[in-house]
Amino acid sequence: MTTPATEQRRFHRIEFDAACEVQWHEQIWQAQVLDISLKGVLLQRPPQWVVAVDEPCEITVFLNGTEAGIVMAVVLRHVEDQHLGFQVQYIDMDSATHLRRLVELNLGDPALLERELGNLLTPMGGQTPKAD
């Protein structure tokens, strides 16, 4: 079943169970990744969470248990019940390579991956992004 929200989604979410750390200023929380895409990540909300929506953070996703594999600068976009939704603002080349491979393995369709990578370069709805 497709909902309007999923019809508008330009990046497929990959269910992904991995530990991560979220850093905001001097605070660090341990959290669990629920799903990830080329443009965002959904986490299980850790205890004592105090960060407001639209605040920048850094997330480190651990691959193979303890190896830091994906590090990204993100912005908290929504808090719903026990979930935190972040939008990726910046990701370095090594982390992007790990994320791309993860998405590629889970999509199973090279054409779909190429379309999503193309969406990374295209502003939403063909509009020019606002400057900060």
Side-chain angles (χ1 to χ4, degrees), residues 59-120:
I59 294 177
T60 302
V61 178
F62 297 102
L63 303 176
N64 301 324
T66 59
E67 178 186 331
I70 302 172
V71 180
M72 54 187 123
V74 297
V75 172
L76 181 61
R77 290 298 183 205
H78 61 88
V79 178
E80 297 173 6
D81 297 322
Q82 295 302 311
H83 299 148
L84 305 172
F86 294 89
Q87 180 182 20
V88 176
Q89 299 296 299
Y90 174 79
I91 186 168
D92 66 49
M93 188 60 77
D94 288 339
S95 294
T97 300
H98 287 304
L99 182 56
R100 177 189 169 141
R101 184 70 178 138
L102 177 69
V103 171
E104 182 178 36
L105 289 172
N106 283 277
L107 286 179
D109 182 352
L112 193 53
L113 175 66
E114 290 305 316
R115 186 176 78 209
E116 290 200 7
L117 291 171
N119 284 338
L120 284 174

